[in-house]
Amino acid sequence: MKDGKIPNPNTIHPIPGYNKEIYVKPTIKNPNIIVGDFTYIADSDFESHVTHHYEWNGDKLIIGKFCQIAAGVEFVMNGANHQMNAVSTFPFYTLEGWNMNPPAVSDLPLKGDTVIGNDVWIGQNAVILPGVHIGDGAIIGANSVVGSDVEPYSIVVGNPAKLLRKRFDDELISLMLQFKWWDKSSEEIDSLIPILTCSDLDKVREELKKRI
Ligand SMILES: CC(C)(COP(=O)(O)OP(=O)(O)OC[C@H]1O[C@@H](n2cnc3c(N)ncnc32)[C@H](O)[C@@H]1OP(=O)(O)O)[C@@H](O)C(=O)NCCC(=O)NCCS
């Protein structure tokens, strides 16, 4: 470990003297937001990036470990989706004075939990819509609007976000999904950094095969 310092997932500010980048997990107060170790956001606050997240819908935002979340990213939760199977989408029941009870849950377009894998890089100002699942190692381009699921180790861009390309061939993706480096101890991850950051992918492939 560098300079005798051990990476600590419970540190809020992992860059000494810089407040605009935080490890998210130790800052979470909402029990319906679950975030893994070492996932960071380029901001001084995370929960304001999660919108329309109402307790009564019970939806969860689940994010894995080692994700990199850029500034301006928004996770839109199910409370954002108005009833659409009637002639008006106006949410009378939420506003003072209007004579309407909340619609039955079955009348709301609820999409379930939002689930982000591990080592996912989410580019600046990307919007993640309710119920989307994003696989391990995916990359979300800047300003993308992600409305459908994203396969592991793929790059999606645009509005609606579409596949730009897979990051690696199927064999290497499969090896990475078996290897799950993010679940190893900090000491082991530290020793794996030369492999995790090596651009010679054939060498990486061989190293992974030896270790799985
Ligand atoms: C997604 C991304 C990683 C792709 O990088 P890349 O593989 O080098 O892609 P390229 O620049 O070669 O672009 C390939 C094509 O995708 C398009 N494209 C790239 N990023 C795009 C985006 N965010 N939205 C829409 N289209 C995008 C390019 O215009 C190009 O289109 P073309 O083939 O029609 O010319 C990068 O463009 C991006 O969005 N990075 C996020 C940066 C960021 O937000 N960082 C936050 C701070 S950490």
Side-chain angles (χ1 to χ4, degrees):
M1 304 271 176
K2 198 156 73 181
D3 304 329
K5 295 210 169 88
I6 295 167
N8 178 357
N10 298 316
T11 298
I12 294 180
H13 299 111
I15 304 177
Y18 185 62
N19 287 341
K20 292 287 276 185
E21 187 147 309
I22 57 169
Y23 280 150
V24 174
K25 191 179 92 167
T27 71
I28 298 297
K29 298 195 172 60
N30 185 332
N32 285 331
I33 301 177
I34 297 147
V35 181
D37 288 349
F38 300 110
T39 283
Y40 72 78
I41 187 166
D43 197 2
S44 50
D45 154 79
F46 177 77
E47 292 199 21
S48 65
H49 294 257
V50 185
T51 62
H52 310 278
H53 196 195
Y54 306 122
E55 207 184 300
W56 57 83
N57 282 330
D59 53 344
K60 292 188 170 54
L61 171 60
I62 301 166
I63 303 178
K65 301 175 189 170
F66 292 95
C67 290
Q68 310 112 64
I69 304 172
V73 168
E74 185 166 334
F75 298 92
V76 181
M77 302 302 287
N78 282 282
N81 278 345
H82 294 194
Q83 184 178 2
M84 291 191 289
N85 59 357
V87 292
S88 172
T89 54
F90 198 82
F92 293 100
Y93 67 97
T94 63
L95 301 161
E96 191 176 63
W98 298 105
N99 187 17
M100 180 191 176
N101 293 323
V105 167
S106 56
D107 275 336
L108 288 169
L110 301 178
K111 303 282 175 78
D113 296 338
T114 299
V115 183
I116 317 291
N118 304 280
D119 193 15
V120 173
W121 175 29
I122 307 182
Q124 196 146 322
N125 297 322
V127 174
I128 314 298
L129 292 175
V132 162
H133 289 213
I134 298 177
D136 298 324
I139 298 175
I140 313 299
N143 287 310
S144 297
V145 178
V146 186
S148 49
D149 292 353
V150 177
E151 293 286 312
Y153 290 99
S154 52
I155 305 177
V156 298
V157 296
N159 178 11
K162 297 280 184 210
L163 182 69
L164 182 61
R165 63 174 184 274
K166 289 279 186 141
R167 294 182 58 196
F168 314 121
D169 63 33
D170 289 347
E171 185 194 43
L172 186 49
I173 291 176
S174 165
L175 289 167
M176 288 304 291
L177 293 174
Q178 290 171 69
F179 190 55
K180 294 185 186 301
W181 65 264
W182 42 82
D183 284 341
K184 302 188 184 303
S185 69
S186 294
E187 290 75 14
E188 195 172 349
I189 293 170
D190 200 55
S191 71
L192 288 168
I193 289 174
I195 296 173
L196 296 175
T197 58
C198 174
S199 57
D200 180 347
L201 296 182
D202 287 331
K203 187 173 162 199
V204 174
R205 193 186 307 264
E206 293 320 308
E207 290 294 332
L208 291 175
K209 283 180 183 168
K210 278 189 232 158
R211 287 171 161 80
I212 289 171

